[in-house]
């Protein structure tokens, strides 16, 4: 164990059945560098243990030799009575992976599906009831078949590191459903295991988690974890003391000279990754999950907090950010930043190191504006902006990411676990978070949403049709844009949270996916499955590099832009609010394989329009329609058009063609 400031450390061993019964105490010896160590045959597989740590008093120190603390590197956990009655457990390693390897899906072919372990299967009628809401439930054939048919390539799981709910939530009869309150960085969350595994103990929980990963890998599906290394469940001073605070508070948490915490995460504490020990703890945890647990990638919650230096300022060349990218054990891992925190200078979209991808909030905001808030505004006046900003996001956000990083630095998303669902984005103008018990003060106030005339549920056919088309436009944009798309679980069938845009504390049917669907929901799912297939089949939609005018850049897509008349877009048309129609042609410069070229028509006003297909594309003999957002169900036949043909385009719609 590491503690620079401790004066003594004691290992405490407990009875296997009574976690309050101490059976042995053994002192650890201090070695150079603040490392404390003991070798003892007391630590056999299954042994429950904790640590007691004493040290100096004064600013920054909160040592208490009476407090039982978890081993930060512990691989297993057992819980006794009470909120803080946790014990570390010695784990025996030896899972048989059966020769199953990681899928290693290339970034350009990656389609991420962000979901919650419990919420994904809690109500699934085809998953064995005993496995509802569990690791094993996600690996059930019904779920694997669904994910494969949908066309996603990776499941990104909300936090599965062991976590606990905040005491303030328990006092209100709520819980921390999402899991962004980590107790231990090396242990899977026990509550997500099946009853049988929990009864058999931590090793069985670990085996069930690994079994899930193995079965998903066998199906070609990657597993990405949403990881929370920026803070822990110990909250602010006076909060629960379970591990790092009692081991070496002054070293593990960011604070002022007087011991006041510097909180850049909004939850009370921030792990001080400017210290070598804290940075190494994070890196060692990542290595463990990447190797022993065979995880394929990581999405870093509030990643800007990890990149803050000793002066608490963000540094894109922070040693930890570089180490995560360069570590041999993480060489093939997908590394994704949530590129902000809530501290000063915390918004860093586009400013992470080469080799990192980032959640692109600029993409999210622009696409929502174009299809929702701009349309709302246009009903009262004219649209506030033209199509240029939207086109930039569609083509890979080159104004946000460097040429060296390219479009695959952008993880594109319209929604995420945090915020409105896709259905609610087109159905509510304002949040409705009363169930959270905070007087509707929590959650974002700026949502860029549009209810299309009625707040919430309605039976009005015209409004429902407009909402469905808006969802298809948003999904179409997401899956036809350059970059890495991320779908929020349930959006593909229009899941609602009844206007709650901050359901972090709702472990209930409000947050669980409902798998009983109406026809319109099945139609939307069919659209999404078609779009993922078209994305896979047309490499022009997923370039790995930005094209440059007059240069031959392999793995890029050369882009041409035309107006509604089939003429090359003029400079003034990009910013003219009256011009919200374009034709986007992308042609691959392949590294290998056949060339590919697509045409996408985007029409961003509610009035229908006639569009003339371009007749100046070199060697283009026709356009085969592949998909249209104007159709309630995907078309079964593909229409073919000639260059120069005039086609009617309904209001607010998208249309994809393959260029022949």
């Amino acid at each position: 164990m590491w503690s620079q400031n401790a004066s003594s450390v004691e290992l405490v061993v407990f009875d296997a059945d009574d976690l309050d019964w101490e059976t042995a105490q053994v002192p650890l010896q201090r070695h150079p560098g603040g490392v404390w160590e003991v070798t003892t045959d007391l630590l056999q597989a299954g042994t429950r243990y904790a640590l007691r740590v004493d040290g100096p008093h004064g600013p920054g120190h909160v040592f208490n030799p009476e407090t039982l603390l978890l081993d930060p590197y512990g691989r297993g956990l057992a819980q006794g009575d009470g909120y803080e009655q946790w014990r570390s457990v010695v784990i025996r390693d030896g899972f048989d992976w059966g020769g199953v390897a990681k899928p290693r899906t290339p970034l350009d072919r990656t389609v991420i599906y962000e979901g919650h372990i419990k919420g994904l299967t809690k109500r699934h009628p085809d998953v064995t009831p005993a496995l509802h809401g569990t690791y094993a439930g996600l690996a059930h054939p019904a779920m694997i078949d669904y994910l494969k048919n949908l066309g996603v390539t990776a499941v990104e799981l909300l936090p599965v590191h062991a976590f606990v709910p905040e005491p303030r939530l328990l006092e209100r009869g709520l819980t921390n459903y999402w899991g962004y309150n980590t107790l231990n960085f090396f242990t899977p969350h026990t509550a997500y295991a099946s009853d049988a595994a929990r009864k058999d103990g931590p090793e069985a929980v670990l085996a069930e988690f690994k079994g899930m990963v193995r079965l998903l890998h066998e199906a070609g599906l990657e597993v990405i974890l949403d990881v929370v290394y920026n803070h822990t469940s110990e909250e602010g001073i006076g909060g629960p003391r379970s591990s790092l605070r009692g081991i070496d508070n002054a070293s593990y948490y960011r604070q002022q000279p007087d011991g006041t915490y510097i909180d850049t995460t909004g939850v009370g504490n921030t792990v001080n990754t400017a210290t070598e020990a804290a940075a190494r703890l994070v890196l060692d945890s990542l290595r463990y999950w990447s190797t022993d647990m065979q995880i394929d990638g990581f999405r870093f919650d509030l990643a800007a907090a990890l990149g803050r230096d000793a002066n608490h300022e963000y540094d894109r060349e922070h040693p930890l950010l570089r180490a995560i990218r360069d570590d041999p054990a993480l060489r093939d891992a997908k590394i994704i930043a949530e590129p902000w925190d809530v501290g000063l200078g915390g918004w860093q979209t586009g400013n992470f190191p080469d080799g990192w991808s980032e959640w692109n909030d600029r993409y999210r905001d622009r696409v929502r504006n174009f299809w929702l808030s701009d349309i709302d505004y246009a009903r009262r006046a004219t649209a506030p902006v033209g199509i240029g900003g939207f086109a930039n996001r569609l083509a890979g956000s080159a104004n946000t990411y460097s040429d060296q990083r390219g479009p695959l630095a952008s993880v594109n998303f319209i929604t995420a676990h945090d915020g409105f669902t896709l259905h609610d984005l087109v159905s509510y103008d304002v949040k409705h978070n009363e169930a959270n018990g905070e007087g509707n003060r929590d959650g974002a106030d700026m949502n860029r949403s549009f209810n299309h005339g009625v707040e919430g549920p309605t039976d009005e056919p015209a409004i429902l049709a407009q909402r469905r088309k808006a969802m298809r436009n948003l999904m179409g944009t997401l899956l036809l844009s350059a970059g890495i798309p991320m779908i929020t679980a349930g959006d593909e069938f229009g899941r609602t949270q009844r206007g709650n845009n901050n359901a972090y504390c709702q472990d209930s049917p409000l947050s669980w996916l409902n798998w009983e669907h109406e026809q319109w929901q099945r139609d939307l799912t069919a659209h999404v499955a078609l779009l993922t297939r078209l994305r896979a089949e047309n490499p022009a939609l997923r370039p790995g590099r930005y094209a440059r005018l007059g240069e031959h850049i392999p793995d890029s897509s050369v882009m041409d832009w035309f107006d509604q008349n089939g003429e090359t877009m003029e400079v003034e048309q990009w910013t003219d609010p009256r011009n919200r129609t374009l034709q986007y042609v992308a042609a691959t410069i392949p590294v290998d394989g056949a060339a590919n070229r697509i045409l996408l028509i985007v029409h961003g006003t509610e009035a229908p329009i006639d569009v003339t297909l371009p007749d100046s594309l070199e060697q283009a003999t026709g356009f085969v329609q592949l998909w249209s957002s104007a159709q309630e169900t995907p078309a079964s036949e593909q229409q073919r058009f000639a260059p120069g043909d005039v086609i009617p385009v309904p209001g607010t719609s998208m249309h994809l063609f393959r260029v022949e």
Side-chain angles (χ1 to χ4, degrees):
M1 193 208 74
W2 181 90
S3 177
Q4 185 64 50
N5 293 296
S7 60
S8 67
V9 179
E10 184 179 57
L11 168 69
V12 184
V13 178
F14 296 88
D15 180 77
D17 299 315
D18 185 348
L19 296 186
D20 289 325
W21 181 11
E22 299 180 16
T23 60
Q25 302 87 26
V26 183
L28 277 69
Q29 302 300 314
R30 183 177 183 122
H31 293 264
V35 176
W36 296 77
E37 181 180 300
V38 66
T39 301
T40 171
D41 59 8
L42 291 172
L43 294 178
Q44 301 297 323
T47 299
R48 274 68 169 156
Y49 70 101
L51 299 164
R52 286 196 179 103
V53 183
D54 199 4
H57 299 281
H61 298 308
V62 290
F63 291 106
N64 185 335
E66 301 303 314
T67 304
L68 293 166
L69 303 170
L70 293 174
D71 176 2
Y73 281 79
R75 302 315 201 246
L77 288 173
Q79 184 179 16
D81 296 329
Y83 181 76
E84 295 179 325
Q85 297 301 308
W86 291 90
R87 305 290 182 259
S88 297
V89 180
V90 180
I91 294 296
R92 178 189 297 107
D93 195 12
F95 183 80
D96 182 7
W97 289 95
V100 177
K102 295 181 180 181
R104 292 186 168 84
T105 307
L107 274 180
D108 72 297
R109 290 185 171 272
T110 297
V111 179
I112 298 172
Y113 189 74
E114 187 208 35
H116 186 282
I117 275 285
K118 183 174 184 179
L120 285 168
T121 63
K122 176 64 177 175
R123 303 179 72 184
H124 200 300
D126 297 328
V127 171
T128 306
L131 303 183
H132 280 169
T134 68
Y135 299 123
L138 178 57
H140 189 278
M143 280 302 301
I144 288 177
D145 288 347
Y146 177 81
L147 295 169
K148 295 290 288 182
N149 290 334
L150 188 62
V152 299
T153 68
V155 180
E156 181 177 304
L157 299 176
L158 267 65
V160 297
H161 288 176
F163 66 88
V164 290
E166 296 87 335
R168 64 178 178 81
L169 291 177
L170 296 175
E171 291 170 1
R172 298 207 307 265
L174 299 171
T175 190
N176 189 318
Y177 174 66
W178 287 349
Y180 292 89
N181 204 44
T182 308
L183 180 68
N184 178 271
F185 294 139
F186 285 83
T187 309
H189 192 58
T190 300
Y192 294 154
S194 62
D195 285 342
R198 294 202 302 270
K199 289 176 182 176
D200 286 344
E203 287 191 357
V205 172
L206 195 64
E208 182 174 315
F209 183 93
K210 291 180 176 180
M212 172 196 72
V213 175
R214 182 176 64 187
L215 289 171
L216 290 170
H217 282 177
E218 282 182 347
L221 294 165
E222 293 188 312
V223 181
I224 298 171
L225 298 188
D226 193 334
V227 287
V228 188
Y229 294 112
N230 57 79
H231 74 278
T232 74
S233 60
E234 293 185 308
E235 301 185 4
I237 293 293
R241 186 201 318 255
S242 58
S243 187
L244 300 183
R245 176 174 292 142
I247 290 172
D248 198 334
N249 179 68
S251 298
Y252 275 116
Y253 292 118
R254 294 186 180 274
Q255 48 198 285
Q256 303 284 5
D258 65 357
T260 303
Y261 274 6
I262 296 172
D263 179 13
T264 72
T265 64
V267 292
N269 68 65
T270 305
V271 174
N272 187 6
T273 53
T275 65
E276 183 179 352
R280 179 171 178 174
L281 176 64
V282 172
L283 197 59
D284 285 347
S285 172
L286 291 169
R287 290 168 177 151
Y288 173 72
W289 288 93
S290 180
T291 56
D292 291 52
M293 308 291 268
Q294 288 290 289
I295 294 302
D296 303 281
F298 304 91
R299 178 267 188 189
F300 292 83
D301 179 63
L302 301 181
L306 303 181
R308 290 184 179 270
D309 60 19
N311 296 317
H312 315 297
E313 297 175 351
Y314 176 77
D315 176 9
R316 73 185 305 269
E317 295 302 322
H318 191 286
L320 177 57
L321 300 184
R322 294 201 313 269
I324 291 171
R325 176 196 62 194
D326 297 337
D327 192 278
L330 304 174
R331 182 175 293 116
D332 296 321
K334 291 174 171 63
I335 305 298
I336 302 168
E338 182 184 36
W340 51 79
D341 65 13
V342 301
L344 188 65
W347 188 71
Q348 295 293 335
T349 303
N351 196 30
F352 269 69
D354 297 348
W356 283 70
S357 297
E358 304 173 21
W359 274 23
N360 189 347
D361 57 322
R362 291 179 174 180
Y363 176 94
R364 173 200 63 198
D365 293 349
R366 177 61 70 180
V367 173
R368 287 187 181 191
N369 282 347
F370 186 81
W371 290 118
L372 298 175
S373 55
D374 287 1
I375 303 301
D376 181 21
Y377 191 91
R379 288 188 177 185
R380 299 184 298 276
T382 58
V385 297
I387 203 166
F390 175 86
N392 178 275
R393 300 301 164 193
L394 186 70
S397 298
N399 64 341
T400 301
Y401 302 102
S402 65
D403 283 352
Q404 187 170 349
R405 297 182 70 190
L408 297 177
S410 178
V411 174
N412 299 330
F413 67 110
I414 309 296
T415 67
H417 64 276
D418 184 2
F420 278 146
T421 65
L422 183 70
H423 172 278
D424 292 356
L425 199 61
V426 305
S427 306
Y428 294 89
D429 278 354
V430 296
K431 65 186 181 183
H432 296 268
N433 297 354
E434 291 79 8
N436 296 351
E438 299 181 39
N440 206 35
R441 294 183 300 274
D442 63 306
D445 293 313
M446 173 64 76
N447 295 288
R448 295 176 166 82
S449 59
F450 179 32
N451 67 17
H452 291 83
V454 174
E455 185 73 357
T458 181
D459 294 325
E460 176 58 46
I463 292 177
L464 292 174
Q466 291 165 356
R467 290 176 176 178
R468 291 193 297 270
K469 185 168 64 170
M471 286 189 276
R472 295 193 295 270
N473 284 329
L474 291 164
M475 273 295 186
T477 303
L478 176 64
L479 290 166
L480 301 179
S481 294
I484 303 169
M486 184 186 79
I487 300 169
T488 305
D491 276 355
E492 74 276 13
F493 52 76
R495 179 179 77 92
T496 181
Q497 289 180 168
R498 301 197 294 274
N500 191 321
N501 75 350
N502 189 36
Y504 77 103
C505 57
Q506 300 293 329
D507 186 0
S508 71
L510 184 74
S511 296
W512 306 335
L513 271 60
N514 184 351
W515 294 95
E516 302 293 334
H517 299 157
E518 299 177 24
Q519 184 58 49
W520 72 267
Q521 294 178 290
R522 292 190 286 272
D523 290 340
L524 180 58
T525 303
H527 275 281
V528 174
L530 174 59
L531 286 163
T532 59
R533 178 170 64 81
L534 292 173
R535 181 180 183 84
E537 293 173 351
N538 291 276
L541 294 167
R542 41 185 178 81
R545 302 178 68 187
Y546 294 125
R548 288 198 294 270
L549 188 64
E551 295 187 39
H552 182 85
I553 308 293
D555 197 28
S556 68
S557 289
V558 176
M559 299 168 186
D560 294 297
W561 306 89
F562 302 90
D563 62 17
Q564 70 189 64
N565 300 312
E567 304 293 335
T568 300
M569 289 274 284
E570 301 291 340
V571 173
E572 61 272 12
Q573 289 179 289
W574 290 105
T575 56
D576 186 348
R578 296 167 299 178
N579 179 58
R580 289 172 60 88
T581 306
L582 63 74
Q583 301 185 71
Y584 161 52
V585 176
T588 59
I589 299 179
V591 176
D592 50 38
N596 173 239
R597 187 161 44 163
I598 60 94
L599 164 69
L600 179 65
I601 297 175
V602 177
H603 177 48
T605 62
E606 292 193 290
I609 195 172
D610 287 337
V611 171
T612 302
L613 296 175
D615 60 4
S616 58
L617 287 178
E618 185 177 349
Q619 297 181 339
T621 60
F623 303 91
V624 177
Q625 186 161 21
L626 303 176
W627 175 77
S628 169
S629 70
Q631 299 164 336
E632 288 282 355
T633 59
S636 56
E637 296 182 0
Q638 296 180 338
Q639 287 185 277
R640 191 179 189 279
F641 300 90
D645 280 358
V646 177
I647 61 175
V649 173
T652 54
S653 62
M654 303 179 72
H655 309 266
L656 179 69
F657 302 81
R658 182 178 67 251
V659 181
E660 295 187 332

